Amino acid sequence: MGCSWLMGFLTYTDVFFAIVCFFLIRSLFQKQKLLVNWPIVGMLPSLLLNVNRLHDWYTEVLRANGCTVIFHGPWFSGMKMLVTCDPRNLAHILSRAHFSNYPKGHEFSELFDILGDGILNADNESWNFQRKIAHKNTRNKGFRQIVLKSAREKVEKGLIPVLQTAAREAKPVDLQDVLQRFTFDATCILVCGADPGCLSTGLPIVPFAQAVDDANEVILLRHTVPRIWWKLLKLLNMGMEKKLANAWEIIDRFIEKQISARRDELQRRTTPPNINSDEGEGEATDLISIYMQYENREEEMASLKSPDTFLRDTTLNMLVAGRDTTSAALTWFFWLLSQNPSVEARILKELNSIPNPNPTKNKPRVFSNEEVSGLIYLQAAFCESLRLFSPVPLVHKGVVKPDILPSGHRVEPGMKILYSLYGLGRMEVVWGKDCLEFRPERWISEKGVLTFDHADKFLVFNAGPRTCLGRDISFTQMKAVVAALLYNFEVQVIKDQVVCPKIAVILQTKNGLMVKVRERAVAAA
């Protein structure tokens, strides 16, 4: 009896050992593809093992699989995704002809639930309504002038004084933190009509900014686990979901305060803001005041899922879009300049070629919007930086009807599509053998003007109906910041620090970007 039991045990052990060996051998054969589809758990182990370097891992997987791969999660988890960076697929998905088949979808709204029904989260009628308002404002001549003027004033009265203090004290400063403060203040002025003063001497703690960072981190982590898992954590208010809940409370408290302040201000006015002007007449200089005028338009508000939270959702979406993406783009730009001094030298040469209308000593120079608009090489350098470090590295889409992508892959309702802009910029088959090099010259034609040859594979500002309305304004703002910083200061990135992407929805640096700042001697010359 005992001997029979032992023989049975050995048989089961042999079978188990054979199964393990089979999957280990299979793993070795599939190593070049970096993914193994295991029974029950699917490809989730590979993802979890690389979650701390998610964007680079996705890039390696896509490079090994012809720019597109189907990711299978655990059985019955519904975690089936098509991950791609194939420009043909992206053009297909984002085109006007197929726009309705690839909405952000219900699952996106769940993952980004903190955004509510704002424009970054919306689809269909809700998105059309909000897009119409945003288009009217961004095309409004008066509003565009306010945007550019307020950014220039913030550079002159906020950014430069803080860096001058850092230069005098000869202390390292986290440039990413400084730039986030700059973009947060500038965005708050436009959205809320008030300057929170985050970019001031002493760099005060900003609970709202930290809360947004925490939310960005948790939302990306939601993409890496089965939906049922993060839903359970949310129900129990545990782990990463507790972190998000705490951040959510801080964010809502801040936004409620801003909206309340604008309501009080509007009640004191004798003339309401003019939202129908194409030239910017009226007293409205902030977006909350403008958007408040839509609250009583019941027919238009009916398209929203949550009309009661319209102002809250809109305010948060605009603050997040304005603060995080621009500061992330600027941070990576300065990091790349530190690795490519020849590019910085050429930008300085371009800046010095602009006559200084007021060469006053001891007064930093701030460039006008007209002056920076003609900086061809600087804009080319920005395009190249955004190619390598897109502020939004991973984009999520849903599927309404079955379709076959240009790559030959079939997608069906219930599948999730992720396209990697971070990976797209690093594909040799897309950009050539120098794809990993920072080379602004690729954006300049033989005639010395910006080239549009790369429009089909440069999707940082989206494409099709969802093309970013603020693209031109963003470029002007970023060029104004860089021009002022480079002309007036030497920004030296401290050596031996680890600079790598943070695993979050917005591509920030994980540990900040510590720099030393010195006032540039030629600035006053």
Side-chain angles (χ1 to χ4, degrees):
M1 182 73 176
C3 184
S4 175
W5 173 86
L6 180 60
M7 291 297 292
F9 175 77
L10 289 174
T11 301
Y12 289 126
T13 303
D14 290 343
V15 171
F16 176 77
F17 181 72
I19 293 173
V20 171
C21 288
F22 168 77
F23 285 113
L24 285 175
I25 293 171
R26 184 185 178 192
S27 174
L28 290 173
F29 276 111
Q30 295 190 11
K31 187 176 181 181
Q32 72 276 11
K33 294 188 177 182
L34 304 171
L35 278 174
V36 180
N37 191 9
W38 299 92
I40 302 177
V41 295
M43 298 174 175
L44 187 61
S46 300
L47 175 61
L48 296 180
L49 286 171
N50 292 279
V51 72
N52 63 323
R53 51 184 295 273
L54 187 66
H55 301 303
D56 287 306
W57 177 70
Y58 266 139
T59 301
E60 293 166 5
V61 170
L62 291 169
R63 188 181 292 127
N65 290 273
C67 295
T68 304
V69 66
I70 299 289
F71 181 92
H72 297 273
W75 294 356
F76 311 113
S77 69
M79 194 179 180
K80 184 178 181 181
M81 301 180 289
L82 179 136
V83 187
T84 186
C85 66
D86 189 325
R88 299 171 302 166
N89 290 344
L90 272 55
H92 179 90
I93 292 167
L94 297 174
S95 68
R96 187 171 298 276
H98 301 98
F99 175 69
S100 61
N101 195 46
Y102 297 100
K104 294 201 169 182
H106 175 68
E107 188 173 351
F108 183 95
S109 299
E110 284 191 325
L111 289 168
F112 291 82
D113 51 4
I114 193 171
L115 295 177
D117 193 31
I119 192 170
L120 299 178
N121 228 7
D123 278 318
N124 305 321
E125 293 83 4
S126 175
W127 176 80
N128 282 321
F129 168 57
Q130 297 184 65
R131 175 82 172 187
K132 180 181 177 181
I133 302 176
H135 185 272
K136 180 179 178 63
N137 289 323
T138 55
R139 292 291 181 264
N140 182 297
K141 182 179 178 181
F143 179 74
R144 290 170 71 91
Q145 290 174 344
I146 292 171
V147 171
L148 300 175
K149 179 183 177 182
S150 62
R152 189 173 186 271
E153 289 179 350
K154 197 63 191 178
V155 169
E156 184 175 7
K157 299 176 182 179
L159 190 57
I160 288 179
V162 166
L163 293 179
Q164 283 178 319
T165 300
R168 285 194 299 267
E169 295 178 352
K171 293 181 179 179
V173 62
D174 183 354
L175 186 61
Q176 177 169 262
D177 179 51
V178 170
L179 292 171
Q180 281 183 327
R181 291 169 181 273
F182 164 78
T183 54
F184 180 57
D185 281 357
T187 304
C188 272
I189 293 170
L190 292 173
V191 176
C192 308
D195 185 348
C198 299
L199 187 63
S200 55
T201 304
L203 301 178
I205 296 174
V206 188
F208 176 88
Q210 182 59 53
V212 172
D213 289 343
D214 290 344
N216 280 334
E217 182 180 336
V218 173
I219 289 170
L220 188 66
L221 289 175
R222 282 179 170 183
H223 285 77
T224 66
V225 296
R227 177 173 172 269
I228 191 173
W229 175 248
W230 69 259
K231 282 277 191 178
L232 178 61
L233 290 178
K234 182 179 180 180
L235 180 65
L236 299 175
N237 195 29
M238 294 174 58
M240 65 183 195
E241 291 299 321
K242 182 176 181 179
K243 184 177 183 179
L244 178 59
N246 293 337
W248 197 323
E249 183 178 349
I250 294 170
I251 288 169
D252 279 359
R253 195 182 308 132
F254 175 85
I255 292 176
E256 183 180 349
K257 180 180 178 181
Q258 300 303 317
I259 293 174
S260 178
R262 298 320 296 157
R263 287 198 193 282
D264 292 343
E265 173 65 23
L266 285 176
Q267 288 176 357
R268 291 193 293 268
R269 290 184 180 180
T270 56
T271 305
N274 187 346
I275 64 173
N276 296 312
S277 169
D278 291 328
E279 298 298 328
E281 293 103 344
E283 301 178 30
T285 58
D286 63 273
L287 290 175
I288 290 183
S289 297
I290 294 174
Y291 275 75
M292 280 181 179
Q293 308 306 304
Y294 291 90
E295 285 186 300
N296 297 323
R297 299 187 176 188
E298 296 182 4
E299 184 176 344
E300 292 176 311
M301 295 292 286
S303 65
L304 303 176
K305 295 178 183 177
S306 306
D308 294 338
T309 63
F310 169 65
L311 273 183
R312 178 266 177 201
D313 297 343
T314 300
T315 302
L316 176 57
N317 279 246
M318 290 188 293
L319 287 176
V320 169
R323 167 190 176 262
D324 291 343
T325 55
T326 304
S327 62
L330 287 168
T331 301
W332 286 111
F333 183 82
F334 279 101
W335 159 248
L336 286 169
L337 285 189
S338 72
Q339 307 300 304
N340 298 271
S342 62
V343 174
E344 180 178 354
R346 186 163 175 182
I347 293 173
L348 278 170
K349 183 179 179 180
E350 190 175 49
L351 293 174
N352 285 318
S353 69
I354 303 175
N356 191 344
N358 185 25
T360 305
K361 291 185 178 181
N362 301 323
K363 184 176 181 180
R365 182 178 182 184
V366 179
F367 292 82
S368 69
N369 303 322
E370 293 74 20
E371 288 172 330
V372 300
S373 64
L375 299 175
I376 301 298
Y377 190 80
L378 178 55
Q379 178 145 345
F382 263 122
C383 289
E384 184 70 345
S385 175
L386 291 168
R387 177 182 74 85
L388 289 168
F389 294 101
S390 171
V392 182
L394 206 60
V395 181
H396 179 143
K397 291 286 185 180
V399 181
V400 175
K401 298 178 181 178
D403 194 11
I404 297 178
L405 300 179
S407 62
H409 292 81
R410 180 179 175 83
V411 293
E412 299 174 347
M415 283 184 68
K416 181 164 58 177
I417 295 178
L418 294 179
Y419 62 85
S420 171
L421 296 179
Y422 184 90
L424 175 62
R426 288 164 170 74
M427 288 295 130
E428 183 176 325
V429 295
V430 177
W431 294 96
K433 292 184 178 181
D434 62 351
C435 63
L436 299 180
E437 295 180 21
F438 179 58
R439 195 171 65 82
E441 289 76 14
R442 80 174 79 238
W443 298 90
I444 301 176
S445 71
E446 294 179 357
K447 296 181 179 180
V449 298
L450 289 171
T451 178
F452 296 96
D453 292 346
H454 308 309
D456 60 331
K457 52 190 178 184
F458 183 67
L459 302 171
V460 174
F461 293 93
N462 223 318
R466 281 192 183 265
T467 299
C468 177
L469 295 171
R471 171 182 170 139
D472 294 339
I473 294 177
S474 296
F475 268 123
T476 303
Q477 283 182 314
M478 291 191 293
K479 286 196 287 188
V481 171
V482 171
L485 261 65
L486 288 184
Y487 188 86
N488 297 294
F489 301 96
E490 294 179 30
V491 180
Q492 181 182 3
V493 175
I494 295 176
K495 296 181 180 180
D496 299 327
Q497 63 178 308
V498 177
V499 180
C500 61
K502 180 180 180 180
I503 304 305
V505 174
I506 305 297
L507 194 71
Q508 299 166 338
T509 61
K510 184 177 181 179
N511 305 305
L513 186 65
M514 300 304 298
V515 302
K516 289 183 179 179
V517 181
R518 290 190 302 176
E519 294 195 59
R520 197 180 291 277
V522 298

